[in-house]
């Protein structure tokens, strides 16, 4: 039987204590998600294949609710800010919430019909991700972007659609500021 417990989440580091799982994605794991492959090669070479983001989970198969953190490093590949892979949930009725703890970023969302929306990520904003909207987070700041996510345990991740054709918009640095631009590679 699962028992109640208090899980300690550090809003600066994103650590989750206790956590049930953790993974990290390095730049080399994100090949195909950035616009510019040559810039990705240069960033991997220059930075020794740095970690782009880490995810901590608190997840139990016997509970319908899971939560955890995502910790995104600051950085760019060419002009494009570090991003997560982005996904739809396998279970289309499953939404999600992203509650930003520190840093600044943009949550980029795309409906199945191709509509784009963004939600600013900054401390105090809890972003609502409706069911069946693809979502990717982007660190547009100079520090770590840390957010807590809450989701159905069995929502599942469908990476295929976004990996294969990209998202319609990219978030790049333009004149020292983040800008949302069309993705020239969108298939
Ligand atoms: O479930 C979520 O939406 C998050 O936990 C993400 O999985 C996490 O932010 C990493 O992003 P992605 O799974 O798109 O690589
Ligand atoms: Ni999700």
């Amino acid at each position: 039987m699962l028992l109640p417990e208090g899980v300690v989440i550090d809003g600066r580091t994103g650590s989750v204590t206790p956590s049930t799982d953790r993974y990290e994605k390095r730049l080399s794991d994100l090949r195909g998600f950035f616009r510019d492959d040559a810039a990705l090669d240069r960033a991997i070479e220059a930075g020794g294949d740095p970690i782009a983001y880490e995810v901590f989970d608190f997840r139990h198969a016997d509970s319908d609710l899971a939560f955890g953190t995502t910790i995104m490093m600051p950085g760019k590949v060419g002009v494009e800010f570090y991003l997560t892979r982005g996904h739809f949930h396998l279970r289309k009725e499953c939404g999600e919430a992203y509650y930003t703890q520190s840093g600044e970023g943009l949550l980029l969302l795309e409906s199945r019909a191709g509509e784009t929306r963004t939600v600013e990520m900054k401390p105090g904003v809890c972003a609502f991700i409706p069911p069946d909207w693809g979502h990717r987070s982007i660190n547009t700041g100079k520090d770590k972007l840390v957010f807590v996510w809450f989701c159905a345990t069995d929502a599942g991740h469908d990476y295929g659609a976004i990996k294969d054709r990209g998202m319609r918009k990219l978030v790049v640095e333009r004149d020292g500021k983040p800008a949302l631009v069309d993705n020239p590679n969108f298939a």
Side-chain angles (χ1 to χ4, degrees):
M1 186 179 61
L2 290 172
L3 295 174
E5 63 183 304
V7 176
V8 178
I9 295 181
D10 185 317
R12 290 245 146 245
T13 66
S15 66
V16 175
T17 311
S19 61
T20 53
D21 202 5
R22 174 195 172 275
Y23 71 83
E24 64 192 28
K25 292 289 170 197
R26 293 179 180 271
L27 283 186
S28 59
D29 298 316
L30 301 176
R31 189 170 295 283
F33 292 97
F34 290 99
R35 173 173 68 187
D36 185 343
D37 282 334
L40 180 65
D41 288 336
R42 288 195 299 274
I44 292 170
E45 181 76 26
D49 196 11
I51 293 174
Y53 61 97
E54 281 176 84
V55 177
F56 286 92
D57 277 38
F58 184 86
R59 183 186 298 274
H60 290 287
D62 291 345
S63 166
D64 60 343
L65 182 67
F67 59 88
T69 57
T70 300
I71 302 134
M72 297 187 69
M73 306 309 150
K76 281 179 294 171
V77 169
V79 291
E80 197 174 1
F81 290 103
Y82 278 13
L83 44 71
T84 58
R85 289 166 291 177
H87 58 269
F88 287 84
H89 293 149
L90 287 170
R91 280 186 48 203
K92 297 186 190 321
E93 71 277 25
C94 291
E96 187 163 7
Y98 279 7
Y99 188 22
T100 299
Q101 302 296 300
S102 54
E104 53 192 288
L106 208 60
L107 175 59
L108 176 63
L109 302 113
E110 206 172 284
S111 72
R112 291 278 183 191
E115 186 182 348
T116 295
R117 290 287 170 106
T118 58
V119 178
E120 197 182 352
M121 299 179 80
K122 61 181 181 184
V125 177
C126 187
F128 169 59
I129 300 168
D132 218 23
W133 279 73
H135 46 285
R136 157 180 289 166
S137 37
I138 295 138
N139 186 349
T140 58
K142 302 233 175 309
D143 301 312
K144 284 182 184 178
L145 172 65
V146 177
F147 60 93
V148 181
W149 48 265
F150 305 86
C151 193
T153 302
D154 61 354
H157 295 82
D158 171 11
Y159 293 104
I162 290 177
K163 181 159 183 27
D164 294 346
R165 55 161 180 68
M167 293 183 82
R168 285 168 174 77
K169 301 286 180 184
L170 306 174
V171 183
V172 300
E173 186 174 64
R174 190 170 272 181
D175 302 326
K177 290 193 304 255
L180 190 68
V181 299
D182 286 338
N183 177 2
N185 298 344
F186 180 74

